[in-house]
Amino acid sequence: MTQDAGSPPARTADRVADALRAAHLYYIQDLTMEAIANELHISRSSVSRLISFARESGLVEIRIHSPLDQVSQLQNQLHDRFGLTAHIVPTSDAATEVDRLERVALSAARILTDFVDSTMILGVAWGSTIASVSRHLSRKPVRNVQVVQLNGAGNAHTTGLVYASEIIGRFGAAFGAMVQQFPVPAFFDDPATKDALWRERSTARVLAVQKRMDIALFGIGSPNADVPSHVYAGGYLDRADYDALSRSGVVGDIATVFFRGDGSFDNIPLNARSSGPGLDSLRATPRRIGVVSGQAKLPAIRGAVATGVITDLVIDEVTAAQLADMA
C-alpha cells in the first residue's frame, strides 16, 4: 500500500489502486474494515477514507434493486404508460424544491457518467438544472469524446458565453472531451437572420456535430417553476414573447424549443427564432435524457413526455408519483 493516515487526498494512480483494492475486499469479499486494515497493514481510518474515496470518485457505485418498493413500482408505471425509462430519485414531501433539485442533479450526473463512453458525442443544453448536474460530475477516463452545446445563450443584455461555457466546460473536463461551443443568440430577432447564419460554414459545422450525437442532456423549462428556469428568469423573453407563448398554449421548453401540453410544437412562432434543435430532429439521437424536479413543473413535464423526445427521465419521487397519476 502506498497511502496511510496523514497522506494528502490527491487523485494519484497509487491512491486509485489502493482504493480499488480496499473496495474489492470490502464490497466483494465482505471483509470488515478491521480485517482489511490488518491485511493491507494500514489503519482502520485509512481503510475508511479509501472506501469513501472509491465511492466519491465513481470507482464504486451502489445500487438498490427491489421489485417491492414504491420507486420500482413508479418506474414500471411510467415505463408502461409513457414508454420511457424513469430514474426516480427518492425524496420526501418535507424536502425543499432546492433540495430536490440538488438530489436529482447528483443522480443525473452519476447516471450520465455510466452512459458516456469512448468515441461518443454528448449534446448539452444549458439551463439551471443542467448547471446543477455539471457541478456533481465525476471524472471518467474516456477517449475521443465530444461535448457540443445544443442552443445559443446570447440575448439583448449579454452574450451568454460565460454562463454557457462554464456549464459546457465542466462536462468537457469530466470526460476529457473536446468542447464545441455554439456562440449564437438563444433567440434571433428575425427567423431570416437565423436561416442565413445556419448556412454559414462555421455554424453548419456545429450543427453537423449535433446531428451525430449519441446522447442529448437537457432540463425541462417551465415559466411556473419554484426554481426558475434560466430561459424565463435570464432576460431572454420580453412581454410580447410571453403573450405569444400564452396564445400558442405553451407549457414549457426543451433546449429553448417550446411545446404545448399535448406535446405538439408546430406553429409556435418563437420556435422559428430559437437556436435550439428542432424536437423532431432531436428524436434522432439514440439516448435523450431529461432532468427535472418540482411539482410546479408538472404541466411542462407532461407536455415534454408527450413530445416523444425523452428516452430517460431523471425525476424526484414526489413529482414522479404525481406524473403517474395525471390523466
Side-chain angles (χ1 to χ4, degrees), residues 151 219-223 229 231-232 250-259 300 304:
N151 49 333
I220 298 174
S222 168
S229 301
V231 69
Y232 302 100
V250 165
V251 297
D253 76 280
I254 292 173
T256 60
V257 178
F258 299 95
F259 53 81

Side-chain angles (χ1 to χ4, degrees), residues 109-319:
R110 291 175 175 172
I111 290 164
L112 178 68
T113 300
D114 282 347
F115 289 156
V116 173
D117 208 342
S118 296
T119 320
M120 279 190 171
I121 297 176
L122 168 65
V124 177
W126 56 260
S128 302
T129 299
I130 302 306
S132 294
V133 174
S134 72
R135 289 190 287 269
H136 290 290
L137 292 166
S138 297
R139 293 183 181 272
K140 181 177 182 179
V142 289
R143 297 176 296 101
N144 195 31
V145 169
Q146 294 186 67
V147 176
V148 61
Q149 182 179 332
L150 290 184
N151 49 333
N155 62 26
H157 310 288
T158 175
T159 64
L161 291 176
V162 174
Y163 175 75
S165 63
E166 184 177 8
I167 296 171
I168 306 301
R170 291 189 190 119
F171 287 91
F175 302 115
M178 176 186 297
V179 172
Q180 302 279 358
Q181 295 184 344
F182 200 27
V184 300
F187 301 100
F188 290 84
D189 291 333
D190 188 335
T193 306
K194 170 186 169 180
D195 292 341
L197 186 57
W198 259 223
R199 292 193 295 270
E200 290 291 325
R201 286 181 296 174
S202 59
T203 308
R205 179 186 61 79
V206 179
L207 295 173
V209 175
Q210 291 179 1
K211 289 181 180 179
R212 303 198 309 274
M213 289 186 300
D214 300 283
I215 302 173
L217 178 73
F218 47 83
I220 298 174
S222 168
N224 303 313
D226 293 330
V227 180
S229 301
H230 194 74
V231 69
Y232 302 100
Y236 289 89
L237 305 172
D238 58 27
R239 176 47 53 191
D241 294 328
Y242 280 109
D243 290 343
L245 293 176
S246 179
R247 288 193 299 272
S248 296
V250 165
V251 297
D253 76 280
I254 292 173
T256 60
V257 178
F258 299 95
F259 53 81
R260 304 179 182 89
D262 62 359
S264 63
F265 45 86
D266 56 320
N267 299 319
I268 297 175
L270 203 54
N271 284 348
R273 295 165 40 206
S274 171
S275 61
L279 300 187
D280 48 358
S281 63
L282 189 57
R283 283 196 292 247
T285 303
R287 189 182 294 275
R288 289 117 33 209
I289 307 170
V291 185
V292 68
S293 69
Q295 300 165 73
K297 282 192 173 184
L298 271 169
I301 298 168
R302 183 65 181 87
V305 168
T307 66
V309 167
I310 300 172
T311 61
D312 293 79
L313 180 66
V314 187
I315 185 172
D316 68 277
E317 182 180 1
V318 174
T319 306

